[in-house]
Coordinates of all heavy atoms in Angstrom, one line a residue:
M27 N 0.8 -1.1 0.1 CA 0.0 0.0 0.0 C 0.9 1.2 0.0 O 1.9 1.3 0.8 CB -0.8 0.0 1.2 CG -2.3 0.4 1.0 SD -3.2 0.4 2.5 CE -4.3 -0.7 2.4
S28 N 0.5 2.3 -0.8 CA 1.3 3.5 -0.8 C 1.0 4.3 0.3 O -0.1 4.2 1.0 CB 1.0 4.2 -2.2 OG -0.2 4.7 -2.1
K29 N 1.8 5.2 0.7 CA 1.7 6.2 1.8 C 0.5 7.1 1.4 O -0.2 7.4 2.4 CB 2.9 7.0 1.9 CG 4.1 6.2 2.5 CD 5.3 7.1 2.7 CE 6.5 6.3 3.2 NZ 7.6 7.2 3.4
T30 N 0.3 7.4 0.3 CA -0.8 8.2 -0.2 C -2.2 7.6 0.2 O -3.1 8.2 0.8 CB -0.9 8.7 -1.6 OG1 0.4 9.2 -1.9 CG2 -2.0 9.7 -2.0
V31 N -2.4 6.3 -0.1 CA -3.5 5.6 0.1 C -3.7 5.5 1.7 O -4.9 5.6 2.2 CB -3.5 4.2 -0.6 CG1 -4.7 3.4 -0.2 CG2 -3.5 4.4 -2.0
L32 N -2.7 5.1 2.3 CA -2.7 4.9 3.8 C -3.2 6.3 4.4 O -4.0 6.3 5.3 CB -1.4 4.5 4.3 CG -1.3 4.1 5.8 CD1 -2.3 3.1 6.1 CD2 0.0 3.7 6.1
A33 N -2.6 7.5 4.0 CA -2.9 8.8 4.5 C -4.4 9.1 4.3 O -5.1 9.6 5.2 CB -2.0 9.8 4.0
L34 N -4.9 8.8 3.1 CA -6.2 9.0 2.7 C -7.2 8.3 3.6 O -8.2 8.7 4.0 CB -6.4 8.8 1.2 CG -7.8 9.1 0.7 CD1 -8.1 10.6 0.7 CD2 -7.9 8.7 -0.9
A35 N -6.9 7.0 3.8 CA -7.6 6.1 4.6 C -7.7 6.7 6.1 O -8.7 6.6 6.7 CB -7.2 4.7 4.6
L36 N -6.7 7.2 6.6 CA -6.6 7.7 7.9 C -7.3 8.9 8.0 O -8.2 9.1 8.9 CB -5.1 8.0 8.4 CG -5.0 8.4 9.8 CD1 -5.4 7.5 10.7 CD2 -3.5 8.8 9.9
I37 N -7.4 9.8 7.0 CA -8.1 11.0 7.0 C -9.7 10.7 7.0 O -10.5 11.3 7.7 CB -7.7 11.9 5.8 CG1 -6.4 12.5 6.1 CG2 -8.8 13.1 5.6 CD1 -5.8 13.2 4.9
V38 N -10.0 9.7 6.2 CA -11.4 9.3 6.1 C -11.9 8.8 7.5 O -13.0 9.0 7.9 CB -11.6 8.3 4.9 CG1 -13.0 7.6 5.1 CG2 -11.4 8.9 3.6
L39 N -11.2 8.0 8.1 CA -11.4 7.5 9.4 C -11.6 8.5 10.4 O -12.6 8.6 11.2 CB -10.4 6.4 9.9 CG -10.6 5.8 11.2 CD1 -11.8 4.9 11.1 CD2 -9.3 5.0 11.5
V40 N -10.8 9.5 10.4 CA -10.9 10.6 11.4 C -12.1 11.5 11.1 O -12.8 11.8 12.0 CB -9.6 11.6 11.4 CG1 -9.8 12.8 12.1 CG2 -8.4 10.7 11.9
L41 N -12.4 11.7 9.9 CA -13.6 12.5 9.5 C -14.8 11.7 9.9 O -15.8 12.3 10.4 CB -13.6 12.8 8.0 CG -12.6 14.0 7.6 CD1 -12.6 14.1 6.0 CD2 -13.0 15.2 8.2
F42 N -14.9 10.4 9.8 CA -16.1 9.7 10.1 C -16.2 9.7 11.6 O -17.3 9.9 12.1 CB -15.8 8.2 9.7 CG -16.9 7.3 10.1 CD1 -18.1 7.3 9.4 CD2 -16.6 6.3 11.1 CE1 -19.1 6.4 9.7 CE2 -17.8 5.5 11.5 CZ -18.9 5.5 10.9
Q43 N -15.3 9.6 12.4 CA -15.4 9.7 13.9 C -15.9 11.1 14.3 O -16.7 11.2 15.2 CB -14.0 9.4 14.6 CG -13.6 8.0 14.5 CD -12.2 7.7 15.1 OE1 -11.4 8.6 15.1 NE2 -12.0 6.6 15.5
V44 N -15.4 12.2 13.6 CA -15.8 13.5 14.0 C -17.3 13.6 13.8 O -18.1 14.2 14.5 CB -15.0 14.5 13.2 CG1 -15.6 15.9 13.3 CG2 -13.5 14.6 13.7
V45 N -17.8 13.1 12.6 CA -19.2 13.2 12.2 C -20.0 12.4 13.2 O -21.1 12.9 13.7 CB -19.4 12.7 10.7 CG1 -20.9 12.5 10.4 CG2 -18.8 13.7 9.8
C46 N -19.5 11.2 13.5 CA -20.3 10.5 14.6 C -20.4 11.1 15.9 O -21.5 11.1 16.6 CB -19.6 9.0 14.8 SG -19.8 7.9 13.3
L47 N -19.4 11.7 16.4 CA -19.3 12.4 17.6 C -20.2 13.7 17.6 O -21.0 14.0 18.6 CB -18.0 12.8 18.1 CG -17.0 11.6 18.5 CD1 -15.6 12.1 18.8 CD2 -17.6 10.9 19.7
A48 N -20.2 14.3 16.6 CA -21.1 15.6 16.4 C -22.5 15.3 16.3 O -23.3 16.1 16.7 CB -20.6 16.3 15.1
K49 N -22.8 14.1 15.8 CA -24.2 13.7 15.5 C -24.9 13.4 16.9 O -26.1 13.9 17.1 CB -24.2 12.4 14.8 CG -25.6 11.8 14.4 CD -25.5 10.6 13.6 CE -26.8 9.9 13.4 NZ -26.5 8.6 12.9
D50 N -24.2 12.8 17.9 CA -24.9 12.5 19.2 C -24.1 13.2 20.3 O -23.4 12.4 21.0 CB -25.1 11.1 19.3 CG -26.0 10.3 18.3 OD1 -27.0 11.0 18.0 OD2 -25.7 9.3 17.9
P51 N -24.3 14.4 20.5 CA -23.5 15.0 21.7 C -24.1 14.5 23.0 O -25.3 14.2 23.1 CB -23.8 16.5 21.5 CG -25.2 16.6 20.9 CD -25.1 15.4 19.9
P52 N -23.2 14.4 24.0 CA -23.7 13.7 25.2 C -24.6 14.8 25.9 O -24.5 16.0 25.9 CB -22.5 13.7 26.2 CG -21.4 14.6 25.5 CD -21.8 14.8 24.0
R53 N -25.8 14.1 26.4 CA -26.9 15.0 27.1 C -26.6 15.0 28.6 O -26.3 14.1 29.3 CB -28.2 14.3 26.9 CG -28.7 14.7 25.5 CD -30.2 14.4 25.4 NE -30.8 14.8 26.7 CZ -32.1 14.6 27.0 NH1 -32.8 13.8 26.2 NH2 -32.7 15.0 28.0
M54 N -26.9 16.2 29.2 CA -26.9 16.3 30.6 C -28.2 15.8 31.2 O -29.3 16.2 30.8 CB -26.7 17.8 31.0 CG -25.4 18.4 30.5 SD -24.1 18.0 31.6 CE -24.4 18.9 33.0
T55 N -28.1 14.9 32.1 CA -29.4 14.3 32.7 C -29.7 15.2 33.8 O -28.9 16.0 34.3 CB -29.0 12.9 33.3 OG1 -28.2 13.1 34.4 CG2 -28.7 12.0 32.1
D56 N -31.0 15.2 34.2 CA -31.4 16.0 35.4 C -30.6 15.8 36.6 O -30.4 16.6 37.4 CB -32.9 15.9 35.6 CG -33.8 16.4 34.6 OD1 -33.4 17.4 33.8 OD2 -35.0 16.1 34.4
D57 N -30.3 14.4 36.8 CA -29.5 14.1 37.9 C -28.2 14.8 37.9 O -27.7 15.2 38.9 CB -29.4 12.5 38.1 CG -30.7 11.8 38.5 OD1 -31.6 12.5 39.1 OD2 -30.8 10.7 38.3
T58 N -27.5 14.8 36.8 CA -26.2 15.3 36.7 C -26.3 16.8 37.0 O -25.4 17.4 37.6 CB -25.7 15.1 35.3 OG1 -25.6 13.7 35.1 CG2 -24.3 15.8 35.2
I59 N -27.3 17.5 36.4 CA -27.6 18.9 36.6 C -27.7 19.2 38.0 O -27.2 20.2 38.6 CB -28.7 19.5 35.7 CG1 -28.4 19.3 34.3 CG2 -29.0 20.9 36.1 CD1 -29.6 19.5 33.4
T60 N -28.6 18.4 38.7 CA -28.9 18.6 40.2 C -27.6 18.5 40.9 O -27.3 19.4 41.8 CB -29.9 17.4 40.7 OG1 -31.1 17.6 40.0 CG2 -30.1 17.6 42.1
D61 N -26.8 17.5 40.8 CA -25.5 17.4 41.3 C -24.6 18.6 41.2 O -23.9 19.1 42.1 CB -24.7 16.1 41.0 CG -25.4 14.9 41.4 OD1 -26.3 14.9 42.3 OD2 -25.1 13.8 40.8
Q62 N -24.5 19.1 39.9 CA -23.7 20.3 39.7 C -24.1 21.5 40.4 O -23.4 22.3 40.9 CB -23.7 20.6 38.1 CG -22.9 19.5 37.4 CD -21.4 19.4 37.9 OE1 -20.7 20.4 37.9 NE2 -21.0 18.3 38.2
V63 N -25.5 21.8 40.4 CA -26.1 23.0 41.1 C -25.8 22.8 42.5 O -25.3 23.7 43.2 CB -27.6 23.0 40.9 CG1 -28.2 24.1 41.8 CG2 -27.9 23.3 39.4
R64 N -26.0 21.7 43.1 CA -25.8 21.5 44.6 C -24.2 21.7 44.9 O -24.0 22.3 45.9 CB -26.1 20.0 45.1 CG -27.5 19.7 45.2 CD -27.8 18.4 45.7 NE -29.2 18.1 45.8 CZ -29.8 17.0 45.6 NH1 -29.1 15.9 45.4 NH2 -31.1 16.7 45.8
L65 N -23.4 21.2 44.1 CA -22.0 21.4 44.3 C -21.6 22.9 44.2 O -20.9 23.4 45.1 CB -21.1 20.7 43.2 CG -19.6 20.7 43.3 CD1 -19.2 20.1 44.6 CD2 -19.0 20.0 42.1
K66 N -22.1 23.6 43.3 CA -21.9 25.0 43.1 C -22.4 25.8 44.3 O -21.7 26.7 44.8 CB -22.4 25.6 41.9 CG -21.9 25.0 40.6 CD -20.5 25.5 40.3 CE -20.1 25.0 38.9 NZ -18.7 25.4 38.5
L67 N -23.6 25.5 44.7 CA -24.2 26.3 45.9 C -23.4 25.9 47.3 O -23.2 26.8 47.9 CB -25.6 25.8 46.0 CG -26.5 26.3 44.9 CD1 -27.9 25.7 45.1 CD2 -26.6 27.7 44.8
T68 N -23.0 24.6 47.4 CA -22.4 24.4 48.7 C -20.9 24.9 48.7 O -20.5 25.2 49.8 CB -22.5 22.9 49.1 OG1 -21.7 22.2 47.9 CG2 -23.8 22.3 49.3
S69 N -20.4 25.1 47.6 CA -19.0 25.6 47.6 C -18.9 27.1 47.6 O -17.8 27.7 47.6 CB -18.2 24.9 46.4 OG -18.8 25.4 45.1
D70 N -20.0 27.8 47.5 CA -19.9 29.2 47.4 C -19.8 29.8 48.8 O -20.7 29.4 49.6 CB -21.2 29.7 46.7 CG -21.1 31.3 46.5 OD1 -20.5 31.7 45.5 OD2 -21.6 32.0 47.4
P71 N -18.9 30.6 49.1 CA -18.7 31.2 50.5 C -19.7 32.0 50.8 O -20.0 32.2 52.0 CB -17.4 31.8 50.4 CG -17.2 32.1 48.9 CD -17.8 31.1 48.2
D72 N -20.5 32.7 49.9 CA -21.5 33.7 50.4 C -22.9 32.9 50.5 O -23.6 33.2 51.5 CB -21.8 34.7 49.3 CG -20.5 35.6 49.1 OD1 -19.8 36.0 50.1 OD2 -20.2 36.0 47.9
V73 N -23.2 32.0 49.8 CA -24.5 31.4 49.8 C -24.4 30.3 50.8 O -25.5 30.1 51.7 CB -24.8 30.7 48.5 CG1 -26.1 29.8 48.6 CG2 -25.0 31.8 47.4
K74 N -23.4 29.5 51.0 CA -23.2 28.4 52.0 C -24.5 27.5 51.9 O -25.3 27.3 52.8 CB -23.1 29.0 53.4 CG -22.0 30.0 53.7 CD -22.1 30.6 55.0 CE -21.1 31.7 54.9 NZ -21.3 32.8 55.9
G75 N -24.6 27.0 50.7 CA -25.9 26.3 50.3 C -26.1 24.9 50.7 O -26.9 24.2 50.2
G76 N -25.5 24.5 51.7 CA -25.7 23.2 52.3 C -27.1 22.8 52.7 O -27.5 21.7 52.6
A77 N -27.8 23.8 53.2 CA -29.1 23.6 53.6 C -30.3 23.8 52.5 O -31.5 23.7 52.8 CB -29.4 24.5 54.8
L78 N -29.8 24.1 51.4 CA -30.7 24.4 50.4 C -31.0 23.0 49.5 O -30.1 22.2 49.4 CB -30.2 25.3 49.2 CG -29.8 26.8 49.8 CD1 -29.2 27.6 48.8 CD2 -31.2 27.4 50.3
Q79 N -32.3 22.9 49.1 CA -32.7 21.8 48.3 C -32.8 22.1 46.9 O -33.1 23.2 46.5 CB -34.1 21.2 48.8 CG -34.1 20.6 50.1 CD -34.1 21.7 51.2 OE1 -34.9 22.7 51.1 NE2 -33.4 21.5 52.3
V80 N -32.3 21.2 46.0 CA -32.4 21.4 44.6 C -33.1 20.2 43.9 O -32.9 19.0 44.1 CB -30.9 21.5 44.0 CG1 -30.9 21.6 42.5 CG2 -30.1 22.5 44.6
D81 N -33.9 20.6 43.0 CA -34.7 19.6 42.2 C -34.7 20.0 40.8 O -35.0 21.3 40.5 CB -36.1 19.5 42.7 CG -37.0 18.4 42.0 OD1 -36.3 17.2 41.8 OD2 -38.0 18.6 41.6
V82 N -34.4 19.1 39.8 CA -34.4 19.5 38.4 C -35.2 18.6 37.6 O -35.1 17.3 37.8 CB -32.9 19.4 37.9 CG1 -32.8 19.8 36.4 CG2 -31.9 20.4 38.7
K83 N -36.1 19.2 36.8 CA -36.9 18.4 36.0 C -37.0 19.1 34.6 O -37.3 20.2 34.4 CB -38.5 18.5 36.4 CG -38.7 17.8 37.8 CD -39.1 16.4 37.7 CE -39.5 15.9 39.0 NZ -38.5 15.3 39.9
Q84 N -36.5 18.3 33.6 CA -36.3 18.6 32.2 C -35.6 20.0 32.1 O -36.0 21.0 31.4 CB -37.7 18.8 31.6 CG -38.4 17.5 31.5 CD -39.8 17.6 30.8 OE1 -40.4 18.6 30.7 NE2 -40.3 16.5 30.4
G85 N -34.5 20.1 33.0 CA -33.7 21.4 32.9 C -34.1 22.5 33.7 O -33.5 23.6 33.7
V86 N -35.3 22.5 34.3 CA -35.8 23.5 35.2 C -35.3 23.2 36.6 O -35.9 22.2 37.2 CB -37.3 23.6 35.1 CG1 -37.8 24.8 36.1 CG2 -37.8 23.9 33.7
A87 N -34.6 24.0 37.1 CA -34.0 23.9 38.6 C -34.9 24.6 39.5 O -35.1 25.8 39.5 CB -32.6 24.4 38.5
T88 N -35.4 24.0 40.5 CA -36.1 24.5 41.5 C -35.3 24.5 42.9 O -34.8 23.3 43.2 CB -37.5 23.8 41.8 OG1 -38.2 23.8 40.7 CG2 -38.3 24.5 42.9
I89 N -35.0 25.7 43.4 CA -34.1 25.7 44.7 C -35.0 26.2 45.7 O -35.9 27.1 45.6 CB -32.9 26.5 44.4 CG1 -33.2 27.9 43.9 CG2 -31.7 25.8 43.7 CD1 -31.9 28.8 43.6
S90 N -34.9 25.6 46.9 CA -35.7 25.8 48.0 C -34.9 25.7 49.2 O -33.8 25.3 49.3 CB -36.9 25.0 48.1 OG -36.7 23.7 48.1
G91 N -35.5 26.2 50.3 CA -34.8 26.2 51.7 C -34.7 27.7 52.2 O -35.7 28.5 51.8
S92 N -33.9 27.9 53.1 CA -33.8 29.3 53.6 C -32.4 29.8 53.7 O -31.5 29.0 54.0 CB -34.6 29.4 55.1 OG -33.9 28.5 56.0
V93 N -32.2 31.0 53.7 CA -31.0 31.7 53.9 C -31.3 32.9 54.8 O -32.3 33.4 55.0 CB -30.3 32.2 52.5 CG1 -30.0 31.0 51.7 CG2 -31.3 33.2 51.7
E94 N -30.2 33.7 55.3 CA -30.2 34.7 56.2 C -30.5 36.1 55.5 O -31.1 37.0 56.1 CB -29.1 34.7 57.1 CG -28.9 33.6 58.1 CD -27.6 33.6 58.9 OE1 -27.0 34.7 59.0 OE2 -27.3 32.5 59.3
L95 N -30.0 36.2 54.3 CA -29.9 37.4 53.6 C -30.5 37.4 52.2 O -30.4 36.5 51.5 CB -28.5 38.1 53.5 CG -27.7 38.2 55.0 CD1 -26.3 38.6 54.6 CD2 -28.3 39.3 55.6
P96 N -31.2 38.5 51.8 CA -31.7 38.5 50.4 C -30.6 38.4 49.3 O -30.8 37.7 48.3 CB -32.3 39.9 50.3 CG -32.7 40.3 51.7 CD -31.6 39.7 52.6
K97 N -29.4 38.9 49.6 CA -28.3 38.7 48.7 C -27.9 37.3 48.5 O -27.4 36.9 47.5 CB -27.1 39.7 49.0 CG -26.3 39.2 50.2 CD -25.1 40.1 50.4 CE -24.2 39.6 51.5 NZ -23.0 40.4 51.7
Q98 N -28.0 36.5 49.5 CA -27.7 35.1 49.3 C -28.7 34.5 48.5 O -28.4 33.6 47.7 CB -27.7 34.4 50.8 CG -26.5 34.9 51.6 CD -26.7 34.3 53.1 OE1 -27.7 34.4 53.7 NE2 -25.6 33.6 53.6
R99 N -30.0 34.8 48.6 CA -31.1 34.2 47.8 C -30.7 34.6 46.4 O -30.9 33.7 45.5 CB -32.5 34.9 48.3 CG -33.6 34.3 47.5 CD -34.9 35.0 48.0 NE -36.1 34.4 47.5 CZ -36.6 34.7 46.2 NH1 -36.1 35.5 45.4 NH2 -37.7 34.0 45.9
D100 N -30.5 35.8 46.1 CA -30.3 36.2 44.7 C -29.0 35.6 44.0 O -29.0 35.1 42.9 CB -30.1 37.7 44.7 CG -31.4 38.5 45.1 OD1 -32.5 37.9 45.0 OD2 -31.1 39.6 45.5
K101 N -27.9 35.4 44.9 CA -26.7 34.7 44.4 C -27.0 33.3 44.1 O -26.5 32.8 43.2 CB -25.6 35.0 45.3 CG -24.2 34.6 44.7 CD -23.0 35.0 45.5 CE -21.9 34.6 44.8 NZ -20.6 34.8 45.6
A102 N -27.7 32.7 45.0 CA -28.1 31.2 44.7 C -28.8 31.1 43.4 O -28.4 30.1 42.6 CB -28.9 30.7 45.8
E103 N -29.6 31.9 43.0 CA -30.3 31.9 41.8 C -29.4 32.1 40.6 O -29.3 31.4 39.6 CB -31.4 32.8 41.7 CG -32.2 32.8 40.4 CD -33.5 33.7 40.4 OE1 -33.9 34.1 41.5 OE2 -34.0 33.9 39.4
R104 N -28.4 33.1 40.7 CA -27.5 33.4 39.7 C -26.5 32.2 39.4 O -26.3 31.8 38.4 CB -26.7 34.6 40.1 CG -27.4 35.9 39.9 CD -26.5 37.2 39.8 NE -25.5 37.2 41.0 CZ -25.8 37.7 42.1 NH1 -27.0 38.2 42.3 NH2 -24.9 37.6 43.1
I105 N -26.1 31.5 40.6 CA -25.2 30.4 40.4 C -26.0 29.2 39.7 O -25.4 28.6 38.9 CB -24.8 30.0 41.9 CG1 -23.8 31.0 42.5 CG2 -24.2 28.6 41.8 CD1 -23.5 30.7 43.9
A106 N -27.2 29.0 40.2 CA -27.9 27.9 39.5 C -28.1 28.1 38.0 O -28.0 27.2 37.1 CB -29.3 27.8 40.2
R107 N -28.3 29.4 37.6 CA -28.6 29.7 36.2 C -27.3 29.5 35.3 O -27.4 29.2 34.2 CB -29.0 31.1 36.0 CG -30.4 31.5 36.5 CD -30.8 33.0 36.1 NE -32.1 33.3 36.7 CZ -33.2 32.8 36.2 NH1 -33.4 32.2 35.1 NH2 -34.3 33.3 36.8
K108 N -26.2 29.6 35.9 CA -24.9 29.3 35.2 C -24.5 27.9 35.0 O -23.6 27.7 34.1 CB -23.8 30.1 35.9 CG -23.8 31.6 36.0 CD -22.7 32.3 36.6 CE -22.8 33.8 36.8 NZ -21.8 34.3 37.5
V109 N -25.3 27.0 35.7 CA -24.8 25.6 35.5 C -25.3 25.1 34.1 O -26.4 25.4 33.7 CB -25.5 24.8 36.6 CG1 -25.3 23.2 36.4 CG2 -24.9 25.2 38.0
K110 N -24.3 24.5 33.4 CA -24.6 23.9 32.1 C -25.9 22.9 32.2 O -25.9 22.0 33.0 CB -23.5 23.1 31.6 CG -23.6 22.6 30.2 CD -22.4 21.9 29.7 CE -22.6 21.4 28.3 NZ -21.4 20.7 27.8
G111 N -26.8 23.1 31.3 CA -27.9 22.3 31.2 C -29.2 22.9 31.9 O -30.3 22.4 31.7
V112 N -29.0 24.0 32.8 CA -30.1 24.6 33.4 C -30.9 25.6 32.3 O -30.2 26.4 31.9 CB -29.7 25.3 34.7 CG1 -30.9 26.2 35.2 CG2 -29.2 24.4 35.7
K113 N -32.1 25.3 32.2 CA -32.8 26.1 31.2 C -33.5 27.4 31.9 O -33.6 28.4 31.4 CB -34.0 25.3 30.6 CG -33.4 24.2 29.7 CD -34.5 23.4 29.2 CE -34.0 22.2 28.3 NZ -35.0 21.2 27.9
S114 N -33.9 27.1 33.1 CA -34.6 28.2 34.0 C -34.5 27.7 35.4 O -34.2 26.5 35.8 CB -36.0 28.5 33.6 OG -36.8 27.3 33.8
V115 N -34.7 28.8 36.3 CA -34.6 28.5 37.7 C -35.8 29.0 38.4 O -36.4 30.1 38.0 CB -33.4 29.2 38.4 CG1 -33.4 29.1 39.8 CG2 -32.1 28.7 37.7
V116 N -36.5 28.2 39.2 CA -37.6 28.6 40.2 C -37.0 28.8 41.5 O -36.5 27.7 42.1 CB -38.8 27.5 40.0 CG1 -39.8 27.9 41.1 CG2 -39.3 27.2 38.7
N117 N -37.0 30.0 41.9 CA -36.3 30.3 43.3 C -37.4 30.4 44.3 O -38.2 31.3 44.4 CB -35.6 31.6 43.2 CG -34.8 31.9 44.4 OD1 -34.9 31.4 45.4 ND2 -33.7 32.7 44.2
K118 N -37.4 29.3 45.2 CA -38.4 29.3 46.3 C -37.7 29.5 47.7 O -38.2 29.1 48.6 CB -39.1 27.9 46.3 CG -40.0 27.8 45.2 CD -40.8 26.4 45.2 CE -41.8 26.3 44.1 NZ -42.5 25.0 44.2
I119 N -36.5 30.0 47.6 CA -35.7 30.2 48.9 C -36.4 31.4 49.7 O -36.7 32.4 49.2 CB -34.2 30.6 48.5 CG1 -33.6 29.4 47.7 CG2 -33.4 30.9 49.8 CD1 -32.2 29.8 47.2
E120 N -36.5 31.0 51.0 CA -37.0 32.1 51.9 C -35.8 32.8 52.7 O -34.9 32.1 52.9 CB -37.9 31.4 52.9 CG -39.2 30.8 52.3 CD -40.0 30.1 53.4 OE1 -40.0 30.5 54.6 OE2 -40.8 29.2 53.0
V121 N -36.1 34.1 52.9 CA -35.1 34.8 53.7 C -35.6 34.7 55.1 O -36.6 35.3 55.5 CB -34.9 36.2 53.2 CG1 -33.9 37.0 54.1 CG2 -34.5 36.2 51.8
K122 N -34.8 34.1 56.0 CA -35.2 34.1 57.4 C -33.9 34.6 58.2 O -32.9 33.8 58.3 CB -35.5 32.7 57.9 CG -36.8 32.2 57.2 CD -37.1 30.8 57.8 CE -38.4 30.3 57.2 NZ -38.8 28.9 57.6
A123 N -34.1 35.7 58.8 CA -33.0 36.3 59.6 C -32.7 35.4 60.8 O -33.7 34.8 61.4 CB -33.3 37.6 60.0
R124 N -31.4 35.2 61.1 CA -31.1 34.4 62.3 C -31.4 35.2 63.6 O -31.2 36.3 63.7 CB -29.6 34.1 62.3 CG -29.1 33.4 63.5 CD -27.7 33.2 63.6 NE -27.3 32.1 62.6 CZ -26.0 31.8 62.4 NH1 -25.0 32.4 63.0 NH2 -25.9 30.7 61.6
V125 N -31.9 34.5 64.5 CA -32.4 35.0 65.8 C -31.0 34.9 66.6 O -30.5 33.8 66.9 CB -33.6 34.3 66.5 CG1 -33.8 34.9 67.9 CG2 -34.8 34.5 65.6
P126 N -30.6 36.1 67.3 CA -29.4 36.0 68.1 C -29.6 35.0 69.3 O -30.7 35.0 69.9 CB -29.3 37.5 68.6 CG -30.0 38.3 67.7 CD -31.2 37.3 67.2
G127 N -28.5 34.3 69.5 CA -28.6 33.4 70.7 C -29.1 31.9 70.4 O -29.1 31.1 71.1
R128 N -29.3 31.8 69.0 CA -29.8 30.4 68.6 C -28.8 29.8 67.7 O -28.1 30.3 67.0 CB -31.1 30.5 67.9 CG -32.2 30.8 68.8 CD -33.5 30.6 68.1 NE -34.6 30.8 69.1 CZ -35.8 30.5 68.8 NH1 -36.2 30.2 67.7 NH2 -36.8 30.9 69.8

């Protein structure tokens, strides 16, 4: 076999693989999106989202629970919106100020 034929066969094989990969991109599942949102919320130093609940259905993320400040509520929503696969966010987080001494 000549080098030209071998090179042409290699190029055709690479192009075939590229077309196959482009045809079926990996989909983000709701479970994967849920995990990513939870991870981002809990690792954020302002939100401290360990007590927040996250539920994702068809890319719609619903976050609930409570935080101490309105800015934490708003930031949690912004963080969730940035996660790949999230189409929209339903923010059900309540703002409950901490009572001193508790």
Side-chain angles (χ1 to χ4, degrees):
M27 226 189 244
S28 73
K29 290 182 181 180
T30 306
V31 172
L32 188 57
L34 184 60
L36 184 59
I37 290 171
V38 168
L39 180 63
V40 169
L41 288 175
F42 179 74
Q43 288 177 334
V44 168
V45 168
C46 288
L47 290 174
K49 181 178 164 187
D50 294 322
R53 278 194 45 188
M54 295 283 287
T55 65
D56 286 340
D57 289 338
T58 303
I59 298 168
T60 300
D61 291 343
Q62 290 299 310
V63 172
R64 283 183 182 149
L65 181 66
K66 298 282 186 181
L67 291 175
T68 55
S69 64
D70 185 84
D72 296 325
V73 175
K74 303 171 191 159
L78 297 177
Q79 293 79 44
V80 179
D81 184 45
V82 178
K83 299 268 193 268
Q84 297 180 339
V86 177
T88 301
I89 48 177
S90 57
S92 62
V93 294
E94 296 177 18
L95 302 169
K97 71 178 186 175
Q98 292 172 307
R99 179 184 194 277
D100 297 340
K101 188 166 185 188
E103 183 174 339
R104 285 194 311 273
I105 289 169
R107 285 189 189 283
K108 290 180 182 179
V109 173
K110 182 178 179 182
V112 172
K113 296 176 183 174
S114 63
V115 175
V116 177
N117 189 341
K118 294 184 176 181
I119 299 173
E120 297 179 20
V121 177
K122 294 183 179 177
R124 177 184 282 179
V125 178
R128 287 193 181 184

